[in-house]
Amino acid sequence: MVKATETAGKPNFDQWLTDTVRALIGRQRPPGTLDKLAETLTERLPHELKQHKKKIVRHEILAKFKDILKEAVKDGAKILQDAAAARMKASRVHALLKRHAHKDAPDFPEWVIDELLNEMHGRVHAPHSKLESALSGINTLRFMEASDRSFAKSSYRAPFHALKDHKSDKLKVAVISGMQFGLPYDTDIFRNITRCGFSAARKLECDALVIGGGLLHMELKKRSGPNRLVNDVLAGHDIDFESFAEDYQAEAKMIVESGSLDPIFQTVEEEFLNVLLRGLYKVTRRPRREGSGTVNEFENPTYVILNANDLEVPKAAAHFHLLYKQMQRFHEALALVREKAKEVAVYEKLLKSGNVKNRQKTQADLKAAKLDLARATALASRFRMSNLHKAQDKKVLRRTISYFVQKIEETVPNCTVIGSGSAFMRFGANSHVVHFISATKSVHIKRLKSYGPDQRRNELADLTVSMHPGAVYPRKGSRENYKVEGQWLGTASFYEAPILVDQVPILEALEGFDVKTPAVNAVRDEMFCGGMTTISLDDRFMPQAEALSTEVVRLNGQPKEAKRAPAKYVYEALWTDWHIDAANQNWLRTREGLPISIVEAGFEFMSRYGMDKEGRAHVFGMTVADDVTQGNHFGTHLRPHHNERPALELKMMVAEELRRIEASNARDREQVKDKVIRELADQLVMFRPSHHWGSQLKDVNVLLDKYKHVFKGMILRAQDSGIVVRGISHYNGFPHDGRDIGLINVGSGNHATKTVNGAVFEGELIADRLCTALRDDPDLKGLDVRKLIRAPMFQDMSIGFGRMQIGENGPEWGIHVAGTPPKRDSWYDLTHGWTQVNRQRGDVSTIFRKIPVVHKTGDKHFYGEDHAGNDIKVMGSSSTKTDAFADIAGGLPENNGGLVFIGYPVDGPDRAPVISKHLTPRELQNFLSSGEAFPWEDYLPNRA
């Protein structure tokens, strides 16, 4: 008897199970089935391990088989995976593994291999819909059994309220877009990307799951000729005899087992019910850890929004049902026409022959027969598809849609199909409205181009999520959504979700054929980045959508991957385009009513609430990509502020108010003084900015001096987190390279550079000033701050290259800093042009090969992010509002004010995504007005 292994004096069930399974299957006469093995294990379970009896179940034993196989056979797991993909028989795989086994390895019984292969194709058994025979007609479904239902109506003012019983405003929602179940997939159920998506949503502790952009992939078009075969290569399923109606199973089995190449016929009903929905059943459930049965991969509510492609299934069923019924009636009518025509011919023949006894009666009979023929002919003409009544057509279509929806809701656990095309949603006690658009092609740019009417009606959603089956990569941006009269406060987010499909199996299935579908076009794109999305909801902040790459989804969705603590992050600030002393700065108000710039508010919140007791900041660095100062290169002094009062009027106002102060009682005096101070502050700070560049630099220096401890705290945070930044000179061997980046990077914008005709670069002056302020700080002793605080320049352009690593053996990213993106092809998606540039330029730095690259930029005054290929591009927002130029520039959208943060996962991009967050002016103003401490722990969570 195999004894239980002792661990620290206690029996170890896991090790006992491994040892016992290895011993039993290595016997000369091992148990003959998995059930028999489980029975023997239960009998031999030591008394001290009896509490683990319920763990002796199928999936636990199969996991031990895999562990033993890895030890016994070199590359055993890979051999098994390839064999499953090739649909090899267990006998062949058994022989193959035996040939590669180590000398002392146990000889696995063939049934063990058979069980492992079966498990790779599905961990749970999914029920079949028993069909005695196929339905008559083409593309038909048994929809008559369904009851009519309609989708929930939703709008911005009356959104669909999900999770009504959830009492918190802090939630996390998972989004799976464009999964198109039925496309080729990894044959190992552990790696099946759809199953991993549901599992990851659970392990990431999401409160709900939203699915859209194409739920199923079914080829429904009637095709003839070679193109039918080309489209069939995208079918992601094999032949399953039980999927056919009972009266056809024997013929299908005979064709397959004989090796014949005769065609096999499968109806739409069989494919829909017993292939697609059965597969969906399997990937949405997992074996129960203890005992028999299954549990759901994702246990919380799932909401489905169908797109037009999904509706092709019920639409085709309704059409062909009506067509079949029409053809029945039409042919019945034709038969009646033929019958009446024969009667007419008989009477005409009798009259023509003259061999009639009662000619008058025969003529009357002929007349009646002709009348019947005319009626029958008219009836046959009625029974045409073009004459179908529209109201009845809609009734049939609604019924087929109801049937389709019913079957989906029966298959996916806790599922509600809430609509098609789009849905406005709220979640729990959270007040934000999220607009999900489930389309057949991208509407992301369309919404960014045409949000104006919704914004003016005060019906623009806080977050718009575009879901469609051909998204090449995720991308997001913001637009201003002013909700407070007279104030530039309010922002809405727009996001295009990645598609959760398996790129490699799809490309392998194509075998060189030119198949044009949205998903194929997407996965063929060199910049393709698939995955799923999580949306963080918190009433204090804008909804935050983040893309999880396919690799992150697959890793988090593995069955053995325990529910772990959230991924740890380190954060940096991308606070760009300060435009110090610009007339169009977006000023906020302190609680006392005094003006404060967006950047100063950020520093103030960091100084008060964003530092630990040791003086370390919550962020490890900062990049000001562009335009620290406003400069004066386009006649700024010729553009007076629209709120500037004449100087003499201002002087007279002050004199009058001072007289009132002298004549007022004590309480009124304080109110008048406050009013005067605020008005003077507004006029001197906000409405009369300095146009002299030297004076602007002095204002920057005041800011640097006041918050130099924050910059020092960033460096201390980087030290504490083990973050190392190496400029490009580290790799090219030159002792100096102006393109070197640091922890703190200060760009040189076109405003200042053109003001002085390129003679001086503002970034270099500001970086030098900051270095001087910190170089003798005792807390930074031993550090060369000149390497940590940089003003990267490539000739006369603010461009820098380097690498950043977290920990000595931790993940590494390429870092590219650019004052402005290399290309802007529209004002709608400001990073798209950059993606196109990266396609054609490759690695111009020479140091970015085989690592992910984070590109940071500014200049355009809009927030944006995309994950295209191995590039993560983040564009920082500005500290300005839009000036008069926008009103004559052909529809230039309002500037995005605010501060941007970038988060890097300390365990690398395969564990969690690089993220960016846009802290908007309205959010900053809310905390300024309330006096509450800014919740950095919540806003930049899970800091390492």
Side-chain angles (χ1 to χ4, degrees):
M1 184 179 187
V2 179
K3 295 182 179 179
T5 304
E6 298 288 327
T7 302
K10 294 182 180 180
N12 186 313
F13 171 78
D14 190 65
Q15 188 61 52
W16 173 86
L17 186 61
T18 302
D19 295 341
T20 310
V21 169
R22 183 188 289 109
L24 290 173
I25 64 173
R27 284 183 166 190
Q28 192 170 0
R29 296 182 63 186
T33 65
L34 184 60
D35 290 339
K36 185 63 178 173
L37 176 59
E39 186 181 320
T40 305
L41 288 167
T42 304
E43 291 172 355
R44 299 191 172 201
L45 185 66
H47 177 75
E48 60 269 27
L49 295 176
K50 289 294 184 182
Q51 71 270 27
H52 298 291
K53 182 178 177 180
K54 290 184 178 180
K55 293 183 180 179
I56 302 177
V57 291
R58 173 187 174 83
H59 66 276
E60 292 284 358
I61 298 172
L62 290 173
K64 297 305 174 188
F65 285 163
K66 287 186 177 180
D67 292 340
I68 298 167
L69 181 67
K70 288 178 184 176
E71 299 171 4
V73 183
K74 183 181 180 182
D75 297 327
K78 180 72 166 57
I79 293 172
L80 197 66
Q81 190 174 332
D82 292 344
R87 301 283 176 174
M88 289 173 64
K89 291 185 177 180
S91 56
R92 287 185 59 195
V93 182
H94 182 256
L96 188 63
L97 290 169
K98 196 171 181 179
R99 203 159 54 241
H100 288 82
H102 300 308
K103 183 178 179 181
D104 299 324
D107 184 10
F108 281 84
E110 188 175 313
W111 66 261
V112 171
I113 307 305
D114 191 43
E115 290 285 357
L116 286 173
L117 290 172
N118 287 337
E119 196 227 13
M120 293 180 78
H121 295 308
R123 302 181 73 205
V124 300
H125 177 75
H128 286 86
S129 294
K130 291 192 177 297
L131 307 172
E132 293 183 2
S133 62
L135 287 170
S136 300
I138 304 170
N139 288 357
T140 50
L141 299 171
R142 300 171 203 265
F143 61 86
M144 300 304 291
E145 65 189 53
S147 56
D148 286 332
R149 58 168 290 174
S150 57
F151 294 130
K153 293 182 180 179
S154 68
S155 65
Y156 175 81
R157 300 198 179 279
F160 180 90
H161 194 175
L163 305 174
K164 285 184 179 180
D165 296 332
H166 200 291
K167 303 305 181 185
S168 174
D169 69 306
K170 298 168 182 60
L171 304 97
K172 185 186 289 185
V173 178
V175 179
I176 294 179
S177 173
M179 73 182 197
Q180 303 159 84
F181 193 79
L183 287 171
Y185 57 90
D186 196 306
T187 52
D188 184 347
I189 191 69
F190 280 27
R191 291 176 51 80
N192 181 286
I193 197 61
T194 306
R195 189 205 62 76
C196 288
F198 278 82
S199 178
R202 170 173 53 88
K203 290 173 181 176
L204 293 170
E205 299 185 334
C206 294
D207 300 287
L209 170 62
V210 176
I211 300 175
L215 177 68
L216 302 176
H217 172 78
M218 283 186 75
E219 181 59 55
L220 291 169
K221 293 180 181 177
K222 291 179 66 179
R223 295 180 184 273
S224 60
N227 282 338
R228 164 63 194 260
L229 302 176
V230 170
N231 283 276
D232 283 352
V233 303
L234 277 183
H237 49 269
D238 208 346
I239 298 172
D240 175 13
F241 302 129
E242 292 184 356
S243 70
F244 298 102
E246 291 179 356
D247 63 357
Y248 186 67
Q249 288 180 12
E251 180 179 333
K253 192 171 185 180
M254 182 269 293
I255 292 172
V256 172
E257 292 182 349
S258 68
S260 169
L261 293 181
D262 287 349
I264 294 175
F265 301 92
Q266 185 166 56
T267 67
V268 163
E269 182 181 43
E270 292 165 345
E271 182 181 359
F272 175 59
L273 293 178
N274 283 339
V275 177
L276 293 179
L277 291 189
R278 184 168 177 264
L280 200 53
Y281 181 99
K282 292 169 73 172
V283 300
T284 54
R285 291 161 177 83
R286 68 188 193 279
R288 192 178 296 278
R289 284 199 173 274
E290 295 185 359
S292 59
T294 65
V295 292
N296 302 328
E297 280 290 7
F298 182 68
E299 295 147 348
N300 292 331
T302 295
Y303 303 96
V304 173
I305 307 167
L306 305 173
N307 75 351
N309 290 341
D310 295 321
L311 293 177
E312 286 295 320
V313 178
K315 186 175 81 173
H319 169 75
F320 286 107
H321 165 80
L322 292 167
L323 177 63
Y324 178 70
K325 294 294 185 181
Q326 176 266 327
M327 293 296 289
Q328 274 187 322
R329 295 303 310 275
F330 180 66
H331 287 296
E332 289 170 1
L334 282 182
L336 183 60
V337 168
R338 287 193 293 270
E339 180 185 328
K340 296 302 178 182
K342 286 179 181 178
E343 289 183 15
V344 169
V346 169
Y347 288 128
E348 287 179 338
K349 188 175 182 181
L350 282 173
L351 288 170
K352 190 174 181 181
S353 68
N355 187 22
V356 290
K357 294 179 181 180
N358 189 338
R359 189 174 186 84
Q360 187 175 1
K361 182 178 181 304
T362 303
Q363 286 177 333
D365 290 342
L366 174 61
K367 184 177 180 181
K370 285 185 175 180
L371 184 59
D372 288 344
L373 176 60
R375 287 172 178 164
T377 303
L379 194 63
S381 298
R382 171 181 289 276
F383 297 142
R384 299 282 185 179
M385 285 296 284
S386 56
N387 291 333
L388 290 173
H389 198 285
K390 295 176 178 59
Q392 185 71 356
D393 286 355
K394 289 191 289 184
K395 187 175 180 180
V396 173
L397 179 59
R398 280 197 296 268
R399 182 66 64 85
T400 58
I401 293 174
S402 296
Y403 172 82
F404 181 74
V405 167
Q406 175 186 318
K407 291 301 178 184
I408 291 170
E409 291 182 341
E410 289 173 356
T411 302
V412 179
N414 303 320
C415 173
T416 304
V417 178
I418 63 171
S420 65
S422 72
F424 290 85
M425 297 185 71
R426 270 189 60 210
F427 296 89
N430 190 273
S431 63
H432 289 306
V433 176
V434 183
H435 186 195
F436 292 97
I437 301 176
S438 180
T440 57
K441 59 183 180 181
S442 176
V443 296
H444 182 65
I445 298 299
K446 182 179 179 181
R447 290 298 301 148
L448 284 168
K449 291 171 69 173
S450 59
Y451 73 96
D454 284 347
Q455 193 268 343
R456 287 194 294 272
R457 288 193 297 265
N458 197 25
E459 294 181 354
L460 182 59
D462 299 301
L463 170 64
T464 299
V465 180
S466 169
M467 303 180 288
H468 67 99
V472 178
Y473 52 82
R475 49 185 174 166
K476 61 182 176 180
S478 296
R479 287 292 181 266
E480 294 309 284
N481 184 23
Y482 302 141
K483 292 190 173 183
V484 182
E485 289 186 3
Q487 296 184 41
W488 283 288
L489 296 173
T491 305
S493 300
F494 295 81
Y495 175 76
E496 182 164 85
I499 58 176
L500 190 65
V501 299
D502 217 335
Q503 181 183 30
V504 173
I506 293 175
L507 293 177
E508 289 176 348
L510 292 175
E511 296 181 340
F513 288 112
D514 187 19
V515 180
K516 288 185 172 64
T517 71
V520 169
N521 293 340
V523 300
R524 276 179 167 161
D525 196 295
E526 296 87 349
M527 293 295 187
F528 176 71
C529 181
M532 63 184 287
T533 302
T534 60
I535 300 173
S536 298
L537 297 171
D538 182 331
D539 272 341
R540 297 171 297 177
F541 307 111
M542 289 298 298
Q544 181 69 24
E546 297 298 349
L548 281 65
S549 69
T550 304
E551 294 76 15
V552 172
V553 174
R554 183 162 276 146
L555 184 61
N556 281 279
Q558 288 303 298
K560 286 190 174 182
E561 185 70 7
K563 192 182 292 183
R564 55 155 56 196
K568 293 292 186 181
Y569 278 84
V570 292
Y571 294 93
E572 70 167 327
L574 177 58
W575 297 3
T576 186
D577 292 271
W578 296 0
H579 286 275
I580 297 295
D581 283 320
N584 63 325
Q585 270 203 297
N586 192 350
W587 292 95
L588 307 175
R589 295 281 183 183
T590 66
R591 204 174 186 190
E592 297 74 29
L594 296 176
I596 184 172
S597 71
I598 288 174
V599 170
E600 187 179 357
F603 277 119
E604 191 63 24
F605 284 163
M606 189 72 71
S607 175
R608 291 185 197 176
Y609 318 116
M611 313 275 287
D612 64 21
K613 294 178 180 179
E614 289 73 29
R616 294 184 291 256
H618 285 353
V619 298
F620 69 82
M622 175 181 288
T623 294
V624 189
D626 189 62
D627 288 329
V628 181
T629 60
Q630 173 69 1
N632 184 9
H633 76 283
F634 54 85
T636 307
H637 59 288
L638 303 176
R639 304 174 118 189
H641 196 284
H642 54 279
N643 294 124
E644 180 185 339
R645 297 175 67 174
L648 185 57
E649 179 184 309
L650 185 62
K651 176 189 170 187
M652 292 169 63
M653 182 275 294
V654 172
E656 176 63 27
E657 296 297 342
L658 289 175
R659 282 193 292 271
R660 285 184 58 196
I661 289 174
E662 292 178 2
S664 301
N665 59 41
R667 195 175 77 175
D668 291 342
R669 190 176 300 147
E670 291 303 314
Q671 291 178 347
V672 175
K673 283 170 60 179
D674 288 347
K675 178 185 174 183
V676 172
I677 291 171
R678 283 196 293 270
E679 178 64 15
L680 284 174
D682 286 356
Q683 289 294 326
L684 296 175
V685 176
M686 295 168 61
F687 310 144
R688 293 174 178 272
S690 174
H691 301 306
H692 183 258
W693 187 60
S695 298
Q696 294 174 12
L697 279 178
K698 291 177 182 177
D699 283 337
V700 174
N701 292 339
V702 170
L703 202 63
L704 297 180
D705 290 342
K706 181 178 180 181
Y707 297 110
K708 67 179 181 180
H709 64 288
V710 176
F711 289 103
K712 180 181 82 171
M714 295 176 187
I715 296 172
L716 294 177
R717 172 60 60 191
Q719 266 195 312
D720 184 67
S721 301
I723 295 171
V724 178
V725 174
R726 302 178 180 93
I728 192 172
S729 64
H730 177 83
Y731 304 95
N732 63 24
F734 288 99
H736 170 79
D737 195 313
R739 301 171 297 167
D740 278 346
I741 62 165
L743 290 170
I744 297 165
N745 301 287
V746 188
S748 298
N750 63 309
H751 281 247
T753 303
K754 290 184 178 180
T755 299
V756 293
N757 294 320
V760 177
F761 299 125
E762 64 176 342
E764 293 180 339
L765 296 178
I766 295 166
D768 285 346
R769 171 63 184 249
L770 193 53
C771 285
T772 302
L774 295 177
R775 67 184 177 189
D776 295 325
D777 192 296
D779 293 331
L780 301 179
K781 188 176 181 180
L783 297 177
D784 186 351
V785 293
R786 293 174 303 172
K787 290 185 176 180
L788 304 177
I789 303 170
R790 300 286 304 168
M793 292 295 296
F794 182 22
Q795 296 178 358
D796 60 345
M797 302 297 293
S798 188
I799 295 172
F801 301 106
R803 289 188 185 184
M804 183 190 79
Q805 188 170 17
I806 305 173
E808 186 176 346
N809 300 309
E812 189 173 27
W813 283 270
I815 303 294
H816 173 204
V817 176
T820 187
K823 182 181 179 182
R824 173 189 60 79
D825 53 13
S826 78
W827 282 106
Y828 309 116
D829 181 355
L830 283 97
T831 60
H832 181 265
W834 198 344
T835 300
Q836 302 308 102
V837 167
N838 285 356
R839 289 180 190 275
Q840 63 198 44
R841 295 197 76 201
D843 175 22
V844 297
S845 72
T846 74
I847 63 172
F848 289 163
R849 287 184 299 280
K850 296 183 179 181
I851 59 172
V853 182
V854 176
H855 306 264
K856 300 178 289 187
T857 191
D859 182 50
K860 303 307 177 189
H861 295 206
F862 289 94
Y863 165 67
E865 177 195 340
D866 74 39
H867 292 228
N870 220 21
D871 294 320
I872 300 103
K873 297 183 286 297
V874 184
M875 178 178 287
S877 55
S878 70
S879 288
T880 66
K881 57 182 180 291
T882 309
D883 59 14
F885 172 73
D887 287 342
I888 59 169
L892 183 68
E894 291 287 284
N895 285 183
N896 291 150
L899 309 171
V900 173
F901 298 85
I902 303 174
Y904 300 81
V906 298
D907 290 329
D910 289 343
R911 165 60 61 184
V914 171
I915 63 173
S916 72
K917 307 190 78 169
H918 178 201
L919 184 57
T920 67
R922 186 180 185 185
E923 292 160 350
L924 288 165
Q925 184 60 69
N926 287 344
F927 283 99
L928 285 168
S929 300
S930 70
E932 292 180 47
F934 188 83
W936 287 108
E937 296 293 344
D938 295 334
Y939 191 73
L940 303 179
N942 307 316
R943 286 185 298 104

